[in-house]
Amino acid sequence: MRGGSELSVSDGEKATGLDTEYAFAWSYGKAESLTLLIPNFYGASSHYDTGTDNALYNTYRSAVLNSYVGMVMNSNPGVSEADARRYIMGEREIIAMANNDAAQFASAAPTYWGDQPFTEGPVYVGAIVCFLFVLGLIIVKGPEKWWLLAATLFTLVLAWGRNLSFINNFLFEYLPLYSKFRAPSMALVVTTLSMSMLAILAVKRFVELLSSQSVEEKVLAKRGLYISFGVVGMVVLFFALFGGSVVDFSSPNDVAIAQQMPELYNALLDERASMLVSDSWRSFAFIVAAAAVMFVYMQRKLKSSSILVLLLAVLFLFDMWPVSNRFLSHDDFIEKEKTTSIEVTAADRQIEAMAGENEHYRVFNLTQNPFNEAFTSYKHNSIGGYSPAKLARYQDIINNYLSAPNWNVVSMLNTRFIITEEGVVENTPLYGLPGAFGNCWLVDSVVWVDGAKEEIAAIENIDKRIAYIDRVWMEHVETSELYNNSVAGTIEMTEYRNPGNIVYKSSSDAPKMALFSEVYYKTWKAYIDGKEVTPVRANYVLRALPLPAGEHTIEFKCVDELMIESHKWSYYMSWFVGVVIVALAGVVIYRNVRKSE
């Protein structure tokens, strides 16, 4: 999808990368950038474990119990609410279910209230790093400070995405490769790196200033410490004291909760406020501790700069480690054996029994979102699955014909089995379906179309006997009329060596156009009887090949010339770097020997 869809995004306009709505979906909010300083400023994650000792848990538990009270009253019209509640509170099983339901909700509460679709957690660089970063802006000299500041600001701008659209839309159009970016928020990886580097330089410069004989430099160190502590500390202290009342904790994603369970919605807002305030106090404490250590060193109570660095490192560890554990703890890691043990389902066994020895078919799993799961591919070839770097043309097929299944297109992709909630359905006319087209087939006619829009529209009611090909491929199909014939012929897959190397056999008494139920991409090379030929694209996504009359062996190989060239240069440069290192080591050894003599 990084190359953009060839379908027009609007009249007269063509996408050359991701469309901005998709590309900027995970844009970091401007105020959300304060998570660099206060981790839970924006409510942590979309499914955060808040624990059970809070109003959120208790409110949800009460709502569940109230629903049971209502059920008792509905089934027993003469029972009062008080009597129904006394009955419910006396039923241990119901209380246990209410506790369990509330605990499950609280363990994955939607505490995140930013405008990203969802998030697994905030980007937190550390309160101490933010404090030292500001110190570095004051006391560090030289170009290093300016390019680190520039990198920090620039990557923040990138991370804001649609929240600073007048800049990012321009960059999206003209900055090389930016339109291929997975998500704007990824730019914060560089932000955290540049801020950390300047923080390190700040500590180094702080030590150097205090070691100087110049009174002015010592005053600069002292002033820098006070100003940075005052600026960063006061920001955090403000949110610790007033954050719960000056910040709006509502989210567009809260509509359903607010309408269905108003009490729970209010408890959720209170929980978000509590998370902000508690983490503000937490960050303030670490800033005070770091500033205190540096103040003590400035007063010469610490004799060694190494002790200063060690104490700051320990504080940094105590700051970052618990925050990291909130989102990625030891419990999230499982044994290798468990990760490879995927349960074989009844549908898997049914498909294997129905398919027999034929392994070259595809499966369409409709029991869940087929384009956001990979379990089907563990046992079968699937037309679904998920990849953030999927081909734009295949995504167009998903959007237009697979999300609401068009069975003709599903069959074109050689889908033999469909998994439904009721079981496995075989794609055959017996079940009212077109039937899988197979791995490859010969067509009776070639229909030329103009552009991507006509090509994708043509396959809505696809006929297996017709190949729809964009006119841009005409130069590769000489005298295309030769392929418009109904002469019988055969073609079959004879060898599936691996996904990047497939062999077929064909036989016909006249030239035929062959279609292969494999996605076309520029890295595929085609060979007829060992001679390289040019494959073309047909039916919007498939590979096609004009075949001369007679019997032929056809082979497809995936050959990524850019990767091959990159590997070659990587090999050469590795040797070059190795030789240079050995040579430099030799020079150092030679000089040391000469000095010793």
Side-chain angles (χ1 to χ4, degrees), residues 299-552:
Q299 298 299 316
R300 297 299 180 184
K301 300 295 177 64
L302 294 176
K303 301 301 182 182
S304 171
S305 60
S306 299
I307 297 177
L308 169 67
V309 172
L310 178 62
L311 290 175
L312 289 176
V314 170
L315 286 173
F316 177 77
L317 179 65
F318 277 95
D319 179 12
M320 300 299 292
W321 189 272
V323 175
S324 175
N325 279 340
R326 295 176 183 177
F327 310 100
L328 189 64
S329 66
H330 180 270
D331 296 336
D332 294 306
F333 294 89
I334 58 179
E335 297 295 331
K336 181 179 179 181
E337 290 74 13
K338 294 181 181 179
T339 63
T340 57
S341 299
I342 298 178
E343 181 182 356
V344 177
T345 66
D348 294 333
R349 289 189 286 268
Q350 187 177 354
I351 290 173
E352 289 179 345
M354 295 169 69
E357 296 181 358
N358 181 8
E359 299 178 355
H360 304 297
Y361 56 84
R362 294 195 179 94
V363 173
F364 195 18
N365 189 348
L366 296 178
T367 61
Q368 51 190 309
N369 184 346
F371 309 109
N372 199 31
E373 61 88 25
F375 291 105
T376 305
S377 299
Y378 178 68
K379 294 291 292 183
H380 317 285
N381 295 319
S382 171
I383 66 171
Y386 174 79
S387 170
K390 65 177 72 70
L391 297 180
R393 278 187 171 260
Y394 197 74
Q395 183 63 39
D396 291 337
I397 293 293
I398 292 173
N399 295 340
N400 288 275
Y401 294 125
L402 299 183
S403 296
N406 176 306
W407 298 115
N408 292 313
V409 176
V410 170
S411 298
M412 182 187 78
L413 298 174
N414 192 28
T415 307
R416 184 178 169 187
F417 299 104
I418 302 161
I419 304 177
T420 68
E421 295 291 350
E422 290 73 29
V424 176
V425 175
E426 187 168 7
N427 184 8
T428 68
L430 180 65
Y431 293 97
L433 298 169
F437 285 12
N439 308 111
C440 49
W441 61 93
L442 302 176
V443 301
D444 295 341
S445 62
V446 173
V447 174
W448 298 99
V449 295
D450 294 311
K453 291 183 71 173
E454 282 193 22
E455 188 179 5
I456 198 169
I459 65 174
E460 181 176 2
N461 298 303
I462 188 72
D463 187 329
K464 186 178 179 180
R465 298 167 296 178
I466 302 174
Y468 296 96
I469 306 178
D470 195 323
R471 291 186 186 277
V472 297
W473 297 97
M474 289 188 75
E475 62 180 289
H476 300 293
V477 185
E478 298 179 3
T479 57
S480 57
E481 293 78 9
L482 291 174
Y483 305 100
N484 292 328
N485 62 75
S486 56
V487 175
T490 61
I491 186 169
E492 62 177 345
M493 179 191 296
T494 58
E495 194 173 356
Y496 189 90
R497 295 172 180 169
N498 56 62
N501 189 191
I502 310 174
V503 181
Y504 305 85
K505 289 282 188 181
S506 71
S507 177
S508 64
D509 295 330
K512 300 292 287 186
M513 180 67 69
L515 264 64
F516 304 85
S517 188
E518 302 287 341
V519 173
Y520 173 89
Y521 192 63
K522 60 186 178 181
T523 55
W524 283 96
K525 305 291 184 182
Y527 305 85
I528 298 178
D529 300 328
K531 181 181 178 181
E532 184 175 351
V533 293
T534 302
V536 299
R537 188 187 63 238
N539 294 3
Y540 201 72
V541 290
L542 300 186
R543 300 175 207 157
L545 203 61
L547 300 177
E551 296 185 357
H552 303 284

